[in-house]
Amino acid sequence: MKGVIFIFAIVIVFTQSCNMTKLSNNYSQHRIAIIVHGGAGNYNSKRLSDNKQALYKKYLRQAIDSSFSILESEGSAEDAVIKAISILENAEVFNAGKGSVFNSNAKIEMDASIMRGDTKSAGAVTGLRHIKNPISLAAAVMNNSEHVLLGGEQAEEFAKLYNVEFEREGYFKTEYRYKKYLKAKKRDKVELDHDEKMGTVGAVAIDINGNIVAGTSTGGLNYKKFGRIGDSALIGCGTYADNSSCGISCTGVGEYFIRSSAAHEISSLMKYKSMTLKEAIRSVLFDQIVPMGGRGGVIGIDRNGNIACDFTTKGMFRAWKTISSEKISIFEKQ
Amino acid sequence: MKGVIFIFAIVIVFTQSCNMTKLSNNYSQHRIAIIVHGGAGNYNSKRLSDNKQALYKKYLRQAIDSSFSILESEGSAEDAVIKAISILENAEVFNAGKGSVFNSNAKIEMDASIMRGDTKSAGAVTGLRHIKNPISLAAAVMNNSEHVLLGGEQAEEFAKLYNVEFEREGYFKTEYRYKKYLKAKKRDKVELDHDEKMGTVGAVAIDINGNIVAGTSTGGLNYKKFGRIGDSALIGCGTYADNSSCGISCTGVGEYFIRSSAAHEISSLMKYKSMTLKEAIRSVLFDQIVPMGGRGGVIGIDRNGNIACDFTTKGMFRAWKTISSEKISIFEKQ
């Protein structure tokens, strides 16, 4: 009889425990979320045909669906962000990874950065020419190096130690970008290319444990000169994550995001001025970046899993997915 | 008679005007100030002989005296900061310009950055090998480029356009640093070199117009690998200036200053949490950098010309000068 009662008791405890885990998972899963962007610009909707829009949206969908699957199966925000950005880097239509723009020497020079909101550890890379997925190398720096930012050929030496995938220069080259390079060469002018399609990519995710991770990846500016490094490689400027506030990825004319420490500033406004994520993003874009003469867009997720996106341009390639909502959009604001 | 009264009136107005200008100048001159640093570290006072201490102090004095002369004669904070940092870059005892440490390939790789608090314009450079005064190139980027951060050989191409002074590699080499390199090579280990003399240099000044400028310059870490870029090249991390709060230059293990956007964070704590400069510097160093495992020091000037300096290490090479006070110090806190 004692044995039966004991087994009965164990069954009850076990059932309760399962229910609690389920409840806890349900609770947590309510805040898992992924948001991605593929750049902000003053796109001319006439030049961006329906077919092209559909192509961009296809990749944005792939990015959020793949990342969300990771989050749903209790994977980490870090894996979700790397997955989303890798998909966009591999898509030739964005200015990151394959499809990156050329510098004034007709070379690819890619930058990327990633940051975790729990440990505030970060990794970033600049001036890459042969790394298939710069975001993977940024993550390798974050996880295996005592440094945060590595640059140029020497950063690629580091990549060899961690089995990061290389590609020949030809892999990254697209006819579309090469034509843009030739056009800029004719005028000998750096293009702050946001009046057409810019296409820096980024992602922010929050996982079942409430950890927020943000990442950004870019080919930079078409026909850029003098080894220019933009905000996408810079922690606090193009990318920032802090579990006590938010995760942020920026896109736009990077110089203005550097001068305002944009990603970090959004976090500060939330922490110290009690702004919501949406308010903080809007304030940095319209009260700081625009008055300086800059433009661009920002995506973010706060510690409660709220997502936000805003931009000063006509459009921004973006998509997000949560338990209760999803959206893929280019022009209209949310 | 009318003519005499008229002339008399003009004389009175003129005298009043002169007095007002004088008063105004006196008022403004009360807040001109310069503060410089030559790195923070856990110096062993036994190994830092009196002679060596005197040598460091000689250069720190030259830096503050030359810069303060500029400010006294109504020169700009930008000129004062460039002057101070150039003097420290030219002094072989600091790890910036001449006397920079070697990377793992036995090469010099220097970084620098500068920012103006009025326009929030900024310039920065990384991976320099032949620029006598990296701070001058950072200023040339700020004043002549649409970009903020330029890197490597291509940054030196930019320098050629603006008559920035070049030096052969041999100029930068000192026996002391080369021995340190050989020692690190034997152990094949990057030195987070703050347990001895690190020697990143920096300066912050406020001029008669209330403009604040901050700058930082470094040779980075001894035996650094993989094109590591530290906080001294990064706006918001090692250097920041905003006339509504303060100007900041940091030194220490740069990775922690990047992950906390240290210089920008100090400004945020003043703007949004109403901290004093001293409180904000202390908070970032001891509540953020130290808990992450980092160490270093910070100098700053607020918009009222108050100066502050703090460090988590045993010592910090530093000096400041205002209308009413001056100090040159290595060990004891202010």
Side-chain angles (χ1 to χ4, degrees):
Chain A
M1 184 60 186
K2 268 186 185 169
V4 172
I5 291 173
F6 181 69
I7 289 166
F8 187 66
I10 285 179
V11 168
I12 287 177
V13 168
F14 180 74
T15 314
Q16 285 288 335
S17 162
C18 283
N19 281 343
M20 280 173 70
T21 309
K22 206 173 163 192
L23 272 170
S24 154
N25 280 357
N26 281 348
Y27 173 73
S28 297
Q29 280 202 348
H30 274 100
R31 51 176 198 177
I32 64 172
I34 174 81
I35 182 165
V36 303
H37 72 80
N42 289 325
Y43 314 117
N44 183 328
S45 60
K46 283 180 192 163
R47 287 175 67 183
L48 200 64
S49 66
D50 287 351
N51 279 348
K52 274 193 179 169
Q53 289 188 37
L55 189 61
Y56 282 105
K57 287 183 174 178
K58 183 187 83 174
Y59 290 123
L60 292 170
R61 167 154 298 288
Q62 278 179 17
I64 55 168
D65 284 351
S66 302
S67 301
F68 199 75
S69 295
I70 291 171
L71 298 170
E72 270 185 321
S73 50
E74 305 189 12
S76 72
E78 185 180 331
D79 288 344
V81 161
I82 293 169
K83 184 70 184 176
I85 293 181
S86 295
I87 286 171
L88 302 175
E89 284 173 336
N90 296 346
E92 71 288 354
V93 296
F94 299 105
N95 176 22
K98 186 176 177 63
S100 286
V101 298
F102 294 85
N103 71 10
S104 62
N105 298 321
K107 297 282 183 192
I108 301 285
E109 278 180 338
M110 299 173 290
D111 301 340
S113 58
I114 189 166
M115 186 166 186
R116 290 177 64 102
D118 52 355
T119 55
K120 293 181 82 179
S121 52
V125 280
T126 177
L128 305 181
R129 292 189 173 166
H130 307 91
I131 304 298
K132 185 180 181 190
N133 293 112
I135 195 67
S136 300
L137 183 52
V141 172
M142 175 169 76
N143 294 320
N144 303 295
S145 162
E146 59 196 335
H147 302 315
V148 170
L149 177 56
L150 303 183
E153 284 170 35
Q154 295 181 67
E156 298 198 350
E157 289 302 310
F158 179 84
K160 289 176 188 165
L161 304 180
Y162 293 97
N163 297 318
V164 174
E165 200 172 347
F166 279 63
E167 282 288 354
R168 288 164 301 105
E169 281 191 71
Y171 164 82
F172 300 97
K173 184 175 172 176
T174 56
E175 274 314 299
Y176 174 72
R177 298 292 185 194
Y178 195 66
K179 277 182 191 160
K180 298 278 288 178
Y181 158 76
L182 291 174
K183 207 171 146 189
K185 191 181 176 190
K186 203 174 271 178
R187 290 182 298 165
D188 193 29
K189 191 166 170 12
V190 176
E191 285 192 275
L192 302 178
D193 198 20
H194 287 251
D195 292 334
E196 287 202 22
K197 287 167 290 294
M198 173 67 172
T200 290
V201 307
V204 185
I206 184 167
D207 61 29
I208 198 168
N209 296 313
N211 188 36
I212 304 172
V213 174
T216 311
S217 180
T218 191
L221 298 176
N222 185 30
Y223 203 68
K224 67 187 171 188
K225 287 182 174 183
F226 306 125
R228 177 259 189 190
I229 300 170
D231 65 322
S232 303
L234 304 182
I235 297 302
C237 304
T239 301
Y240 201 72
D242 178 343
N243 281 1
S244 70
S245 55
C246 62
I248 295 292
S249 172
C250 303
T251 178
V253 186
E255 280 68 16
Y256 299 94
F257 289 79
I258 297 174
R259 288 165 55 194
S260 58
S261 299
H264 181 259
E265 176 72 354
I266 292 165
S267 164
S268 295
L269 289 173
M270 292 181 68
K271 281 164 73 173
Y272 305 138
K273 296 278 280 181
S274 303
M275 286 192 189
T276 64
L277 175 66
K278 198 174 170 180
E279 288 166 350
I281 289 175
R282 193 157 185 84
S283 172
V284 169
L285 279 174
F286 290 92
D287 302 338
Q288 298 191 36
I289 304 275
V290 167
M292 282 199 286
R295 59 191 184 282
V298 174
I299 59 170
I301 295 181
D302 74 14
R303 61 185 179 160
N304 298 315
N306 297 308
I307 53 158
C309 171
D310 208 340
F311 46 98
T312 72
T313 47
K314 285 182 190 161
M316 182 169 179
F317 296 110
R318 63 207 192 277
W320 67 80
K321 191 165 183 169
T322 68
I323 289 286
S324 57
S325 74
E326 67 169 46
K327 187 163 185 177
I328 301 173
S329 186
I330 301 175
F331 294 107
E332 71 287 1
K333 292 215 175 182
Q334 65 190 75
Chain B
M1 183 62 185
K2 269 187 187 171
V4 173
I5 291 173
F6 182 67
I7 289 166
F8 188 64
I10 285 180
V11 168
I12 287 178
V13 167
F14 180 74
T15 314
Q16 286 288 333
S17 164
C18 283
N19 283 341
M20 280 175 70
T21 307
K22 207 175 164 190
L23 274 172
S24 155
N25 280 357
N26 281 347
Y27 173 73
S28 297
Q29 281 202 346
H30 275 100
R31 50 176 197 176
I32 64 172
I34 174 80
I35 182 164
V36 303
H37 72 80
N42 289 326
Y43 315 117
N44 183 330
S45 59
K46 284 180 192 163
R47 286 176 66 184
L48 201 64
S49 66
D50 287 352
N51 279 349
K52 274 192 179 170
Q53 289 188 36
L55 189 63
Y56 281 106
K57 286 183 175 177
K58 184 187 83 175
Y59 290 123
L60 292 169
R61 166 153 299 289
Q62 278 179 16
I64 55 169
D65 284 351
S66 302
S67 302
F68 199 75
S69 296
I70 292 172
L71 298 170
E72 271 186 319
S73 50
E74 304 188 14
S76 72
E78 185 179 331
D79 288 343
V81 162
I82 294 170
K83 184 70 183 176
I85 292 181
S86 296
I87 286 170
L88 301 176
E89 284 173 337
N90 296 345
E92 72 288 352
V93 296
F94 299 105
N95 176 20
K98 186 177 178 65
S100 286
V101 298
F102 295 85
N103 70 11
S104 62
N105 299 321
K107 297 282 183 192
I108 300 286
E109 277 181 338
M110 299 173 290
D111 301 340
S113 59
I114 190 167
M115 186 166 186
R116 290 177 64 101
D118 52 356
T119 55
K120 292 182 83 176
S121 53
V125 280
T126 177
L128 306 181
R129 292 189 173 165
H130 307 90
I131 304 298
K132 185 180 181 189
N133 294 110
I135 194 67
S136 300
L137 183 53
V141 172
M142 175 170 76
N143 294 320
N144 303 295
S145 163
E146 59 196 335
H147 302 315
V148 170
L149 177 55
L150 303 183
E153 284 170 34
Q154 296 181 68
E156 297 198 350
E157 288 303 308
F158 179 84
K160 289 176 188 164
L161 303 180
Y162 293 97
N163 296 321
V164 174
E165 199 173 349
F166 279 64
E167 283 288 353
R168 289 165 301 104
E169 281 191 71
Y171 163 82
F172 301 97
K173 184 175 172 178
T174 56
E175 276 313 300
Y176 173 72
R177 298 291 185 194
Y178 195 65
K179 278 183 192 161
K180 298 278 288 177
Y181 158 76
L182 291 175
K183 207 171 146 189
K185 192 181 177 191
K186 203 173 273 179
R187 291 181 299 166
D188 193 30
K189 192 167 171 8
V190 177
E191 285 191 277
L192 302 178
D193 199 19
H194 287 253
D195 291 335
E196 286 203 25
K197 287 166 289 293
M198 174 68 173
T200 290
V201 307
V204 185
I206 185 166
D207 62 28
I208 199 168
N209 297 313
N211 189 34
I212 305 172
V213 174
T216 312
S217 180
T218 191
L221 298 177
N222 186 29
Y223 203 69
K224 68 187 171 189
K225 287 183 172 182
F226 307 126
R228 178 260 188 188
I229 300 170
D231 65 322
S232 304
L234 303 182
I235 297 302
C237 304
T239 301
Y240 201 72
D242 179 343
N243 281 359
S244 71
S245 54
C246 61
I248 295 292
S249 172
C250 304
T251 178
V253 186
E255 280 68 16
Y256 299 94
F257 289 79
I258 297 174
R259 288 164 56 194
S260 57
S261 298
H264 180 260
E265 176 73 356
I266 291 165
S267 164
S268 296
L269 288 174
M270 292 181 68
K271 282 164 74 173
Y272 305 139
K273 295 279 281 182
S274 303
M275 285 191 190
T276 64
L277 176 65
K278 199 175 170 181
E279 288 166 348
I281 289 175
R282 193 156 185 83
S283 172
V284 169
L285 279 174
F286 290 92
D287 302 338
Q288 297 190 37
I289 304 275
V290 168
M292 282 200 286
R295 60 191 184 279
V298 174
I299 57 169
I301 296 181
D302 74 14
R303 60 182 181 165
N304 297 314
N306 297 308
I307 53 157
C309 172
D310 208 340
F311 46 98
T312 71
T313 46
K314 285 183 189 161
M316 183 170 178
F317 296 110
R318 62 206 193 277
W320 67 80
K321 192 165 186 171
T322 69
I323 289 287
S324 57
S325 73
E326 68 170 44
K327 186 163 186 175
I328 302 174
S329 186
I330 302 175
F331 293 107
E332 72 286 3
K333 292 216 173 181
Q334 64 191 75

